[in-house]
């Protein structure tokens, strides 16, 4: 099916997945940049009830629950009462690349553009919790935004994190993205940033933080966004579905091709730079390997500058095809723990795809 490109509020031409709620995919060409521009950064919402505008002056972030001091903080409070914190981190939808699963699975049929790398600036969540004076016995923290369900029967989108993770000094409440205020469609005025974890936890239009003494049992933690437990890469098979499930969490190691793109044509006997990105959940990429013969032999690609352990890592490989025809290229990344990508991966929800990527190149 041909891609549909659309422009909408604050966004340049992007691939349309759905318009209500708005879900937009970033064209691959922007992944050649270190940071994905705000005006083409992918958009993912579950609920159609999004406010068209938000008054920054009257907006308040409310912190409650198992705390000694309940808080209602303005954006200006976050900017003036706390030490600013900046981190480079990749935000990736759990269903990124779902359209490539074989056999196909239901859900938004994303290609590889449901992710983006950005420089996030805001306040450490641990600093906010310190101001609220969390009481003993805190177990989890729940997060809610201003998006609302279209019907009473639809569960509100509320996520939770273990308290120790939320309070680790890296999870943050961002008010800027790449040096600018967050775009409305990316969660203005505040967005939870959970470096190394899938974007389902990155709650946009963040408005409520609740410290809990028990496990949060909301729909989006107990029924949705589940993966097989104790299985590498969230893997299962259609004829042997896992019975023991858990909430999705840390991102797996992965690499993709960015340039050339599918259907591009390159010249024989000339060198073409094959380029892409690799990433994991924060352990760090050790190497990226390229095969130009369908996986029979592998060569090491060149890793480019390190933007931080939670950011993507660009790689490149000089390819000089000597003959015309079709070439099957493959790419796989390995992180410092020795974790790499499988030949094939599948699960019923189409989450966390990270099988070895294939690109067929036409040489003329």
């Amino acid at each position: 099916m041909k891609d549909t490109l659309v422009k909408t509020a604050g966004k340049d031409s992007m691939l349309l997945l759905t318009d209500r709620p708005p879900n937009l995919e970033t064209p691959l060409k922007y992944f050649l940049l270190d940071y994905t521009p705000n005006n083409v950064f992918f958009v993912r919402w579950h609920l159609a009830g999004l406010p068209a505008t938000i008054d920054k002056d009257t907006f308040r972030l409310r912190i409650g629950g198992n705390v000694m001091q309940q808080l209602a903080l303005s954006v200006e409070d976050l900017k003036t009462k706390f030490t600013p914190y900046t981190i480079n981190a990749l935000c990736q939808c759990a269903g990124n690349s779902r359209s490539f699963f074989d056999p196909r699975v239901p859900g938004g049929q994303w290609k590889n553009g449901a992710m983006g790398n950005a420089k996030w600036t805001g306040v450490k969540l641990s600093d906010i919790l310190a101001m609220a004076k969390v009481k003993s016995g805190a177990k989890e923290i729940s997060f809610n935004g201003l998006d609302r369900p279209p019907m009473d029967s639809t569960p509100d989108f509320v996520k939770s994190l273990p308290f120790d993770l939320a309070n680790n000094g890296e999870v943050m409440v961002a008010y800027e993205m790449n040096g600018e205020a967050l775009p409305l469609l990316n969660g203005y005025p505040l967005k939870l940033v959970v470096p190394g974890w899938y974007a389902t936890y990155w709650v946009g239009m963040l408005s409520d933080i609740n410290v809990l003494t028990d496990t949060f049992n909301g729909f989006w933690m107990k029924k949705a966004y589940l993966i097989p437990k104790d299985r590498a890469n969230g893997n299962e098979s259609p004829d042997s579905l896992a019975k023991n499930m858990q909430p999705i969490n840390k991102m797996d190691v992965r690499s993709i091709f960015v340039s050339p793109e599918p259907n591009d044509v390159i010249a024989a006997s000339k060198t073409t730079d094959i380029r892409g990105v690799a990433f994991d959940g924060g352990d760090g990429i050790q190497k990226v390997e390229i095969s130009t013969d369908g996986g029979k032999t592998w060569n090491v690609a060149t890793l480019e500058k390190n933007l931080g352990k939670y950011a993507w890592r660009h790689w490149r490989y000089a390819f000089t095809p000597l003959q015309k025809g079709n070439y099957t290229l493959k790419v796989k990344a390995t992180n410092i723990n020795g974790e790499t990508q499988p030949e094939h991966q599948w699960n019923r929800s189409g989450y966390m795809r990270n099988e070895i990527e294939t690109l067929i190149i036409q040489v003329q």
Side-chain angles (χ1 to χ4, degrees), residues 36 125 130 171 218 283 293 325 342:
T36 313
L125 180 57
V171 174
D283 297 301
D293 56 11

Side-chain angles (χ1 to χ4, degrees), residues 3 29 41-42 45 65 70 100 121 153 158 174 191 196 209 226 264 286 288 304 306 312 328 336 359:
D3 294 333
K29 62 183 179 180
F41 202 97
F42 88 100
W45 293 95
Q70 295 195 15
F100 303 126
T121 299
S153 58
V158 184
K191 186 179 189 71
I209 297 174
L226 300 180
D264 284 354
Q286 181 184 68
V288 171
E304 300 193 330
N306 191 340
W312 62 26
T328 299
I336 61 173
L359 177 67

Side-chain angles (χ1 to χ4, degrees), residues 41-91:
F41 202 97
F42 88 100
V43 173
R44 174 67 172 114
W45 293 95
H46 297 80
L47 307 178
L50 295 177
T53 60
I54 297 172
D55 187 342
K56 187 178 71 171
D57 295 330
T58 59
F59 171 86
R60 295 293 182 270
L61 172 65
R62 302 186 184 279
I63 297 90
N66 189 46
V67 297
M68 296 178 65
Q69 180 68 52
Q70 295 195 15
L71 303 176
L73 301 171
S74 66
V75 176
E76 191 63 21
D77 288 335
L78 293 174
K79 291 182 176 181
T80 58
K81 296 182 179 181
F82 298 90
T83 301
Y85 176 66
T86 297
I87 193 169
N88 299 333
L90 174 76
C91 180

Side-chain angles (χ1 to χ4, degrees), residues 128-348:
I128 297 174
L129 295 175
M131 178 180 279
K133 299 178 181 177
V134 175
K135 299 177 184 178
S136 62
K139 185 173 183 179
E140 291 192 3
I141 301 182
S142 67
F143 304 89
N144 197 3
L146 295 177
D147 52 328
R148 292 291 177 260
M151 299 180 294
D152 291 342
S153 58
T154 303
D156 194 9
F157 188 78
V158 184
K159 299 292 291 189
S160 68
L161 291 171
F163 177 80
D164 288 345
L165 173 69
N167 197 43
N168 69 0
E170 292 183 324
V171 174
M172 65 181 293
V173 175
Y175 47 72
E176 286 185 1
M177 177 177 164
N178 294 327
E180 301 174 350
L182 294 161
L184 182 70
L185 289 180
N186 291 114
Y188 176 88
L190 300 175
K191 186 179 189 71
L192 186 70
V193 172
V194 188
W197 280 41
Y198 285 98
T200 178
Y201 295 97
W202 296 43
V203 176
M205 298 184 182
L206 179 65
S207 57
D208 293 275
I209 297 174
N210 198 25
V211 182
L212 308 172
T213 56
D214 206 348
T215 301
F216 178 70
N217 288 311
F219 173 85
W220 298 96
M221 292 299 299
K222 295 301 178 184
K223 299 292 185 180
Y225 284 99
L226 300 180
I227 59 171
K229 190 174 183 179
D230 301 323
R231 293 199 186 186
N233 312 101
N235 202 25
E236 57 184 346
S237 61
D239 56 357
S240 180
L241 296 179
K243 296 180 180 179
N244 195 7
M245 307 291 283
Q246 66 178 354
I248 196 170
N249 43 78
K250 186 178 177 182
M251 288 191 292
D252 271 342
V253 61
R254 190 177 180 207
S255 56
I256 69 166
F257 293 100
V258 174
S259 176
E261 295 190 30
N263 301 318
D264 284 354
V265 178
I266 66 175
S269 300
K270 291 187 178 180
T271 299
T272 297
D273 263 350
I274 309 298
R275 301 178 62 185
V277 294
F279 48 89
D280 69 353
D283 297 301
I285 297 300
Q286 181 184 68
K287 65 179 178 179
V288 171
E289 295 170 278
I290 301 294
S291 174
T292 59
D293 56 11
K296 296 176 184 177
T297 61
W298 294 87
N299 298 291
V300 177
T302 299
L303 291 176
E304 300 193 330
K305 61 184 175 182
N306 191 340
L307 300 172
K309 65 180 182 177
Y310 294 115
W312 62 26
R313 190 86 181 264
H314 281 104
W315 56 263
R316 69 172 65 223
Y317 179 77
F319 176 45
T320 309
L322 299 180
Q323 298 179 341
K324 296 180 180 181
N326 289 339
Y327 289 74
T328 299
L329 277 57
K330 291 180 176 288
V331 60
K332 61 180 177 180
T334 302
N335 69 9
I336 61 173
N337 296 328
E339 297 166 338
T340 189
Q341 299 177 240
E343 285 283 350
H344 182 68
Q345 180 242 9
W346 185 92
N347 58 68
R348 73 192 83 171

